[in-house]
């Protein structure tokens, strides 16, 4: 016990000395600049007018994308790399999404609401009205229906590597009017709604992907368009 007490006394003394040194270092006055050396210049203060301009966003300009680091091209439905989500999620939108607040709650993105039939095999989504793509093209439920069908059937060169949760269960997709999409399943599947939040299942405009499918070719970067 005596040894322990002696150790603690010495420890307190050492800590006290260290504390004094730290306080002295923190409170030491700043030293003047060496003789013949000017102190560092301060940035000139902004005028109220300059501060107001600096605080406002500047519109316009050109976004330059330097190549495709994954080599997967411009067709988002053929994407398998998570790095492509970072770019395409700003261009394309999913029907549903997970709330960023808890990453659990499902909420509408392109859809404003949805209903499921009593047998759990038919889902009806109401799509937002008045949507236009980044290039100013009208966007309706028909665009959504075509993209979902495309991810199920994988026409042309589309691989659909990340669309399995749709391909495995979807039987038919229709757009009975400009704001309604009806998706019929082969059987009731509890995971279908979470599947629709998958960021790989984003919707591309029909006018773009239908042309690519018909011509059986790879989409070009200048053709990219979306409503994300």
């Amino acid at each position: 016990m005596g040894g322990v007490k002696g150790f603690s006394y010495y420890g307190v003394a050492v800590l006290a000395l260290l504390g004094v040194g730290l306080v002295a270092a923190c409170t030491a006055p700043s030293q003047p600049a060496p003789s013949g050396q000017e102190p560092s210049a301060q940035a000139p203060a902004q005028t109220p007018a300059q501060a107001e301009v600096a605080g406002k966003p500047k519109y316009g300009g050109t976004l330059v994308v330097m190549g495709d680091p994954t080599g997967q091209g411009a067709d988002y439905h053929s994407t398998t790399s998570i790095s492509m989500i970072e770019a395409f999620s700003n261009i394309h939108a999913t029907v549903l999404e997970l709330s960023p607040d808890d990453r659990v709650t499902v909420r509408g993105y392109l859809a404003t609401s949805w209903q499921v039939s009593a047998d759990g095999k038919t889902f009806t989504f109401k799509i937002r009205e008045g949507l236009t793509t980044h290039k100013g093209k009208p966007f309706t439920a028909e665009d959504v229906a075509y993209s979902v069908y495309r991810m199920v059937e994988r026409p042309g060169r589309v691989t659909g590597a990340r669309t399995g949760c749709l391909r495995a269960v979807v039987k038919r997709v229709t757009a009975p009017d400009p704001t309604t999409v009806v998706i019929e399943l082969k059987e009731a599947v509890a995971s279908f709604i979470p599947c629709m939040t998958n960021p790989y299942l984003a919707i591309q405009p029909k006018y773009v992907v239908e042309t690519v499918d018909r011509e059986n070719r790879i989409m070009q970067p200048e053709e990219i368009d979306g409503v994300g």
Side-chain angles (χ1 to χ4, degrees):
M1 294 297 291
V4 173
K5 289 183 178 179
F7 175 79
S8 62
Y9 294 153
Y10 284 118
V12 171
V14 171
L15 289 176
L17 290 173
L18 288 174
V20 171
L22 288 174
V23 171
C26 293
T27 58
S30 58
Q31 298 297 321
S35 177
Q37 180 178 341
E38 294 293 332
S40 58
Q42 299 294 322
Q46 288 184 321
T47 65
Q50 289 174 326
E52 182 180 1
V53 171
K56 292 183 177 179
K58 182 179 180 181
Y59 295 92
T62 302
L63 173 64
V64 179
V65 180
M66 301 302 291
D68 171 14
T70 66
Q72 294 180 350
D75 191 339
Y76 188 51
H77 292 164
S78 65
T79 294
T80 60
S81 171
I82 193 171
S83 65
M84 296 306 289
I85 292 179
E86 298 177 1
F88 280 114
S89 62
N90 297 298
I91 302 172
H92 306 307
T94 50
V95 177
L96 304 176
E97 68 175 358
L98 294 179
S99 169
D101 296 331
D102 56 18
R103 305 302 300 169
V104 173
T105 303
V106 176
R107 68 183 190 181
Y109 193 164
L110 290 174
T112 57
S113 63
W114 59 95
Q115 294 180 331
V116 59
S117 61
D119 62 3
K121 295 169 63 175
T122 302
F123 289 79
T124 302
F125 297 90
K126 297 302 292 185
I127 305 302
R128 298 181 188 277
E129 296 185 54
L131 293 175
T132 58
T133 70
H134 299 294
K135 294 182 179 179
K137 305 288 186 180
F139 186 94
T140 69
E142 190 173 352
D143 295 276
V144 177
Y146 188 86
S147 266
V148 174
Y149 153 78
R150 187 177 193 252
M151 289 183 277
V152 172
E153 294 295 331
R154 296 179 294 170
R157 295 174 180 267
V158 178
T159 60
R162 299 286 187 175
T163 63
C165 67
L166 283 179
R167 291 199 311 273
V169 299
V170 172
K171 177 181 179 181
R172 185 179 297 108
V173 187
T174 57
D177 62 61
T179 62
T180 306
V181 172
V182 179
I183 301 178
E184 299 176 51
L185 308 185
K186 300 172 185 176
E187 57 186 0
V189 179
S191 62
F192 180 70
I193 287 296
C195 166
M196 294 299 290
T197 69
N198 186 336
Y200 287 106
L201 306 185
I203 305 301
Q204 299 185 95
K206 179 181 177 181
Y207 87 93
V208 176
V209 288
E210 186 179 41
T211 301
V212 170
D213 295 340
R214 183 175 61 251
E215 298 176 359
N216 192 25
R217 60 175 175 80
I218 296 174
M219 187 187 300
Q220 300 303 305
E222 60 270 18
E223 294 180 283
I224 296 174
D225 197 7
V227 291

